[in-house]
Structures are given as C-alpha cells and as structure tokens.
Amino acid sequence: MKPKIFIDGEHGTTGLQIRMRLANRDDLDVISIPEQERRNQALREDRLNESDIAILCLPDDAARQAVAMLAGNNAVRVIDTSTAHRIDKAWVYGFAEMTQDQAPRIRSARLVANPGCYPTGAIALVRPLREAGLLADDYPVSINAVSGYSGGGKQLIAQMEERDHPHAITAPHFLYGLTLQHKHVPEIRAHGLMNHAPLFSPSVGRFAQGMLVQVPLHLDALHDGATPAKIHACLADHYAASMHVHVVSLEDSSAMTRLDPTALNGTDRMHLHVFGAPDGRHVNLVALLDNLGKGASGAAVQNMDLMLSA
C-alpha cells in the first residue's frame, strides 16, 4: 500500500511547490482537500488523521492547531514548515546536513520541524565552524541576507506583482526586520550553537525566487589561526558526502566578480562560498539557494523521503 501524504495548506506558496514536486510520484498517495473546502475543519481533521505523513504548510497558530487535531494518533508523522516548533526539543530539526547524525534522526522521527530558508543558509555556514572549534560560541555573528519575494507568501507576492494593490510595493529592494528581532533569530541561535543572538538583517529583492545569506567574519577574532583555506576545508569536510550542499572551491569563488541570488532557482541544491579579503584578515561566507527549494519545499520533500525510508 502506498503511503498517504496530506499537505495541510497545499494552496499556499510552499504547499503548491510541494504539491508540484509530488505530482509525478507514483509511489505516493497524495490525499487532498478541494480549495473550496479548505475551511472545512472536520474534513481537514479527517485528512490529517488518515495520512501517514502530514506536511503542514500553515501559519504558526494553524500548525499548532493541526498538531492538536492529531492528539493521541501517534501513527501519523508530521513535517511542519512553520516556525512553531523549530526550537521545540520534542521535534527533530529537519536540516539533514546539519550534523552527521541529523539524517538518521529525521529518518526515525515522528515530528520534524522544517528549517526556515534564511536559517538553512546561516546554520549551514556557522554550525560546522562551531563544531570544529574555529568559531567561539560568543563570537558576535552578523548575518545579512536577501531573498526573493516569494518567501513572504501570497500577500507579499501580490504586493510586489500587482500595481493596483492597495499596499503595492514599488521599491526594487527593501530592508525589513529593522528591530533585529526577526522570527528566525531563535532558530539560528539554537541550531547555530551560539551563546548570543546573531545580528540578522534580512531584505527582499524584486525577483520571485532565490537567496543569498552572508556571514562576514574577522579572522583575527577566530580560534586556531583561522585562514580562508582552513575555513573552507572545515566546510568542505563537513559536506563532503552531501547530495544537496556543495562547497565551491576557493579558486572558483575567487574568480567570481558577482553572485546571482537566482542562480540555483528550481533546484534543491545549496552552494557555499568562502570569499577572502586581500588583506587576509576577513572572510565573507555566503550561502546561495532557492528559498523555495532547499529553503522550503525541497527540504520538506527531502525530509519526507528520509522518513519514508525508515
């Protein structure tokens, strides 16, 4: 019998992407709710409880409500793409490449919290350095990032694309999270193994998909005589066996004069770069990914496949 997959919130941006990725899968039974019935709570609860894996593509409160609808039904496994459970110790964090034992933990988990798109890039860059002892846990980490506007969901997409929208945005690029209290900060801090919250400055560009996440570092403030080569080796070793995360060579990165945030659109890959300053005192670590690929829907499908392989 094919495993039953229910995408709760399949008509939102992330849900639609997951549905598209599963459309040609003949090894799955994807159960659904018609869009006109999406507010039918009884039908929704039935679909949740008859599934083998429920993928929640919902706002935080609705995700918590969905989990409550499964109370006592431990047969249903859950992947939550919201921020509701990402630092909850009862949930396994769904970034398979984060540590060597993360994929096996996801494979055997009942409850998996899908990472955010920004945290995927930031944690991918910081966590290996923390585990290797190159980056002190109290280092004052700064993260600068730009995302395509699809990361803001249907509301932001409409504001960016519809000129007659009452709250249309005409700027080619804008900064937000100006209070430095973005909802992803606790997640980045927890899974990046930081003692202090990072200074996270996100922004949105006038392109639908794609993302760059930057972590600039002062080398003289790192441990063990860190150099660009040592940092690159640390990252390359950490992701050596990964299918989805590729550490670009120092030579290829140094030959670049610009980095396009849309370069990996439509893929589930993430590229990591180490850019060294000529003075040898600074590096800029950069993650390139599709915010709806490895940053959201692609990661959810990756986690689903791991869970089904248990």
Side-chain angles (χ1 to χ4, degrees):
M1 184 179 295
K2 297 178 182 180
K4 292 184 177 181
I5 310 297
F6 174 54
I7 306 167
D8 192 1
E10 70 173 291
H11 303 293
T13 305
T14 300
L16 286 170
Q17 287 271 331
I18 295 173
R19 193 71 176 83
M20 180 182 67
R21 290 164 188 271
L22 302 185
N24 296 319
R25 293 278 296 264
D26 58 9
D27 59 324
L28 304 173
D29 180 8
V30 181
I31 57 179
S32 186
I33 292 178
E35 186 169 9
Q36 62 270 23
E37 293 285 345
R38 68 185 187 278
R39 300 190 188 281
N40 184 331
Q41 296 303 307
L43 181 57
R44 178 184 171 214
E45 186 167 356
D46 286 344
R47 291 289 186 270
L48 281 165
N49 279 279
E50 71 177 280
S51 63
D52 293 298
I53 296 181
I55 305 176
L56 311 182
C57 302
L58 304 163
D60 289 7
D61 287 344
R64 295 186 184 98
Q65 179 190 51
V67 174
M69 288 178 175
L70 293 169
N73 186 355
N74 293 328
V76 180
R77 304 170 77 186
V78 181
I79 300 170
D80 180 13
T81 70
S82 81
T83 64
H85 301 104
R86 290 178 185 163
I87 58 173
D88 188 328
K89 294 187 182 301
W91 290 66
V92 173
Y93 193 59
F95 182 11
E97 297 84 4
M98 184 173 73
T99 66
Q100 289 187 350
D101 65 348
Q102 202 67 15
R105 292 184 66 215
I106 295 167
R107 186 175 289 113
S108 61
R110 178 179 169 251
L111 303 173
V112 173
N114 215 56
C117 50
Y118 289 125
T120 296
I123 294 165
L125 295 167
V126 171
R127 178 76 179 238
L129 305 185
R130 286 285 302 113
E131 291 185 346
L134 288 172
L135 186 69
D137 57 10
D138 60 353
Y139 183 95
V141 173
S142 295
I143 302 162
N144 308 300
V146 61
S147 173
Y149 57 79
S150 59
K154 286 187 173 181
Q155 180 176 344
L156 183 57
I157 292 171
Q159 288 178 269
M160 295 292 280
E161 294 185 350
E162 299 173 13
R163 293 188 177 183
D164 58 351
H165 191 284
H167 302 290
I169 297 172
T170 59
H173 176 270
F174 65 87
L175 190 66
Y176 72 108
L178 303 180
T179 63
L180 302 176
Q181 295 178 320
H182 192 280
K183 64 180 181 178
H184 287 326
V185 169
E187 174 186 357
I188 296 171
R189 177 182 177 182
H191 299 292
L193 305 180
M194 303 176 198
N195 272 1
H196 305 296
L199 296 177
F200 175 47
S201 184
S203 61
V204 171
R206 187 166 288 284
F207 52 93
Q209 291 176 228
M211 173 170 284
L212 292 173
V213 181
Q214 305 179 65
V215 179
L217 298 172
H218 292 270
L219 292 178
D220 55 8
L222 302 188
H223 289 169
D224 299 326
T227 63
K230 185 175 287 189
I231 290 171
H232 183 274
C234 176
L235 294 173
D237 181 65
H238 186 92
Y239 298 108
S242 172
M243 293 177 57
H244 298 284
V245 183
H246 171 62
V247 181
V248 179
S249 71
L250 284 173
E251 292 75 18
D252 287 346
S253 291
S254 65
M256 302 178 73
T257 57
R258 61 180 60 89
L259 196 55
D260 179 355
T262 69
L264 292 180
N265 281 8
T267 79
D268 296 337
R269 301 195 307 273
M270 176 164 56
H271 287 181
L272 305 182
H273 292 267
V274 178
F275 295 106
D279 62 10
R281 298 180 59 191
H282 309 92
V283 292
N284 192 19
L285 310 183
V286 183
L288 165 67
L289 63 156
D290 181 348
N291 60 293
L292 294 181
K294 182 60 173 165
S297 306
V301 174
Q302 181 186 2
N303 287 325
M304 180 199 74
D305 285 333
L306 281 169
M307 296 163 78
L308 292 175
S309 70

PDB file of all heavy atoms in Angstrom, residues 159-171:
ATOM      1  N   GLN A 159       1.631  42.107  -3.396  1.00  0.00           N
ATOM      2  CA  GLN A 159       2.112  43.483  -3.223  1.00  0.00           C
ATOM      3  C   GLN A 159       3.222  43.809  -4.215  1.00  0.00           C
ATOM      4  O   GLN A 159       3.329  44.954  -4.682  1.00  0.00           O
ATOM      5  CB  GLN A 159       2.628  43.687  -1.805  1.00  0.00           C
ATOM      6  CG  GLN A 159       1.542  43.735  -0.745  1.00  0.00           C
ATOM      7  CD  GLN A 159       2.138  43.896   0.642  1.00  0.00           C
ATOM      8  OE1 GLN A 159       2.424  42.919   1.325  1.00  0.00           O
ATOM      9  NE2 GLN A 159       2.328  45.131   1.051  1.00  0.00           N
ATOM     10  N   MET A 160       4.036  42.835  -4.549  1.00  0.00           N
ATOM     11  CA  MET A 160       5.155  43.067  -5.458  1.00  0.00           C
ATOM     12  C   MET A 160       4.737  42.999  -6.929  1.00  0.00           C
ATOM     13  O   MET A 160       5.346  43.647  -7.785  1.00  0.00           O
ATOM     14  CB  MET A 160       6.267  42.051  -5.191  1.00  0.00           C
ATOM     15  CG  MET A 160       6.912  42.162  -3.823  1.00  0.00           C
ATOM     16  SD  MET A 160       7.874  43.670  -3.595  1.00  0.00           S
ATOM     17  CE  MET A 160       9.402  43.231  -4.438  1.00  0.00           C
ATOM     18  N   GLU A 161       3.697  42.217  -7.235  1.00  0.00           N
ATOM     19  CA  GLU A 161       3.360  41.952  -8.641  1.00  0.00           C
ATOM     20  C   GLU A 161       2.153  42.739  -9.146  1.00  0.00           C
ATOM     21  O   GLU A 161       2.011  42.926 -10.350  1.00  0.00           O
ATOM     22  CB  GLU A 161       3.127  40.456  -8.843  1.00  0.00           C
ATOM     23  CG  GLU A 161       4.380  39.607  -8.650  1.00  0.00           C
ATOM     24  CD  GLU A 161       4.155  38.140  -8.967  1.00  0.00           C
ATOM     25  OE1 GLU A 161       2.982  37.742  -9.163  1.00  0.00           O
ATOM     26  OE2 GLU A 161       5.161  37.392  -9.024  1.00  0.00           O
ATOM     27  N   GLU A 162       1.268  43.165  -8.233  1.00  0.00           N
ATOM     28  CA  GLU A 162       0.030  43.830  -8.660  1.00  0.00           C
ATOM     29  C   GLU A 162       0.148  45.340  -8.435  1.00  0.00           C
ATOM     30  O   GLU A 162       0.133  45.816  -7.306  1.00  0.00           O
ATOM     31  CB  GLU A 162      -1.163  43.264  -7.884  1.00  0.00           C
ATOM     32  CG  GLU A 162      -1.376  41.773  -8.112  1.00  0.00           C
ATOM     33  CD  GLU A 162      -2.463  41.189  -7.210  1.00  0.00           C
ATOM     34  OE1 GLU A 162      -3.217  41.981  -6.597  1.00  0.00           O
ATOM     35  OE2 GLU A 162      -2.551  39.950  -7.110  1.00  0.00           O
ATOM     36  N   ARG A 163       0.236  46.072  -9.514  1.00  0.00           N
ATOM     37  CA  ARG A 163       0.438  47.521  -9.413  1.00  0.00           C
ATOM     38  C   ARG A 163      -0.747  48.241  -8.764  1.00  0.00           C
ATOM     39  O   ARG A 163      -0.578  49.307  -8.171  1.00  0.00           O
ATOM     40  CB  ARG A 163       0.703  48.106 -10.794  1.00  0.00           C
ATOM     41  CG  ARG A 163       2.027  47.664 -11.398  1.00  0.00           C
ATOM     42  CD  ARG A 163       2.313  48.423 -12.666  1.00  0.00           C
ATOM     43  NE  ARG A 163       3.611  48.062 -13.222  1.00  0.00           N
ATOM     44  CZ  ARG A 163       4.141  48.629 -14.307  1.00  0.00           C
ATOM     45  NH1 ARG A 163       3.468  49.584 -14.938  1.00  0.00           N
ATOM     46  NH2 ARG A 163       5.317  48.251 -14.748  1.00  0.00           N
ATOM     47  N   ASP A 164      -1.948  47.664  -8.907  1.00  0.00           N
ATOM     48  CA  ASP A 164      -3.126  48.313  -8.332  1.00  0.00           C
ATOM     49  C   ASP A 164      -3.450  47.792  -6.938  1.00  0.00           C
ATOM     50  O   ASP A 164      -4.509  48.111  -6.389  1.00  0.00           O
ATOM     51  CB  ASP A 164      -4.333  48.137  -9.252  1.00  0.00           C
ATOM     52  CG  ASP A 164      -4.664  46.669  -9.511  1.00  0.00           C
ATOM     53  OD1 ASP A 164      -3.846  45.799  -9.118  1.00  0.00           O
ATOM     54  OD2 ASP A 164      -5.731  46.393 -10.101  1.00  0.00           O
ATOM     55  N   HIS A 165      -2.556  46.997  -6.359  1.00  0.00           N
ATOM     56  CA  HIS A 165      -2.767  46.506  -4.998  1.00  0.00           C
ATOM     57  C   HIS A 165      -2.783  47.704  -4.043  1.00  0.00           C
ATOM     58  O   HIS A 165      -1.968  48.627  -4.176  1.00  0.00           O
ATOM     59  CB  HIS A 165      -1.649  45.535  -4.613  1.00  0.00           C
ATOM     60  CG  HIS A 165      -1.893  44.771  -3.354  1.00  0.00           C
ATOM     61  ND1 HIS A 165      -1.760  45.333  -2.101  1.00  0.00           N
ATOM     62  CD2 HIS A 165      -2.278  43.488  -3.146  1.00  0.00           C
ATOM     63  CE1 HIS A 165      -2.040  44.431  -1.180  1.00  0.00           C
ATOM     64  NE2 HIS A 165      -2.362  43.296  -1.783  1.00  0.00           N
ATOM     65  N   PRO A 166      -3.714  47.727  -3.064  1.00  0.00           N
ATOM     66  CA  PRO A 166      -3.775  48.891  -2.157  1.00  0.00           C
ATOM     67  C   PRO A 166      -2.499  49.119  -1.356  1.00  0.00           C
ATOM     68  O   PRO A 166      -2.248  50.234  -0.897  1.00  0.00           O
ATOM     69  CB  PRO A 166      -4.957  48.559  -1.243  1.00  0.00           C
ATOM     70  CG  PRO A 166      -5.183  47.091  -1.392  1.00  0.00           C
ATOM     71  CD  PRO A 166      -4.770  46.757  -2.782  1.00  0.00           C
ATOM     72  N   HIS A 167      -1.701  48.074  -1.202  1.00  0.00           N
ATOM     73  CA  HIS A 167      -0.437  48.218  -0.478  1.00  0.00           C
ATOM     74  C   HIS A 167       0.735  47.782  -1.374  1.00  0.00           C
ATOM     75  O   HIS A 167       1.673  47.134  -0.912  1.00  0.00           O
ATOM     76  CB  HIS A 167      -0.461  47.393   0.814  1.00  0.00           C
ATOM     77  CG  HIS A 167      -1.570  47.771   1.739  1.00  0.00           C
ATOM     78  ND1 HIS A 167      -1.594  48.968   2.418  1.00  0.00           N
ATOM     79  CD2 HIS A 167      -2.703  47.109   2.077  1.00  0.00           C
ATOM     80  CE1 HIS A 167      -2.699  49.026   3.151  1.00  0.00           C
ATOM     81  NE2 HIS A 167      -3.386  47.928   2.962  1.00  0.00           N
ATOM     82  N   ALA A 168       0.652  48.155  -2.634  1.00  0.00           N
ATOM     83  CA  ALA A 168       1.682  47.768  -3.598  1.00  0.00           C
ATOM     84  C   ALA A 168       3.055  48.284  -3.171  1.00  0.00           C
ATOM     85  O   ALA A 168       3.182  49.389  -2.644  1.00  0.00           O
ATOM     86  CB  ALA A 168       1.323  48.296  -4.980  1.00  0.00           C
ATOM     87  N   ILE A 169       4.063  47.468  -3.415  1.00  0.00           N
ATOM     88  CA  ILE A 169       5.452  47.840  -3.124  1.00  0.00           C
ATOM     89  C   ILE A 169       6.149  48.077  -4.461  1.00  0.00           C
ATOM     90  O   ILE A 169       6.189  47.179  -5.312  1.00  0.00           O
ATOM     91  CB  ILE A 169       6.164  46.737  -2.327  1.00  0.00           C
ATOM     92  CG1 ILE A 169       5.475  46.543  -0.963  1.00  0.00           C
ATOM     93  CG2 ILE A 169       7.640  47.080  -2.134  1.00  0.00           C
ATOM     94  CD1 ILE A 169       5.983  45.336  -0.188  1.00  0.00           C
ATOM     95  N   THR A 170       6.682  49.256  -4.639  1.00  0.00           N
ATOM     96  CA  THR A 170       7.329  49.592  -5.914  1.00  0.00           C
ATOM     97  C   THR A 170       8.847  49.591  -5.814  1.00  0.00           C
ATOM     98  O   THR A 170       9.526  49.682  -6.835  1.00  0.00           O
ATOM     99  CB  THR A 170       6.858  50.975  -6.400  1.00  0.00           C
ATOM    100  OG1 THR A 170       7.190  51.957  -5.407  1.00  0.00           O
ATOM    101  CG2 THR A 170       5.350  50.981  -6.628  1.00  0.00           C
ATOM    102  N   ALA A 171       9.381  49.470  -4.615  1.00  0.00           N
ATOM    103  CA  ALA A 171      10.835  49.511  -4.435  1.00  0.00           C
ATOM    104  C   ALA A 171      11.499  48.319  -5.111  1.00  0.00           C
ATOM    105  O   ALA A 171      10.968  47.206  -5.091  1.00  0.00           O
ATOM    106  CB  ALA A 171      11.174  49.508  -2.941  1.00  0.00           C
TER     107      ALA A 171
END
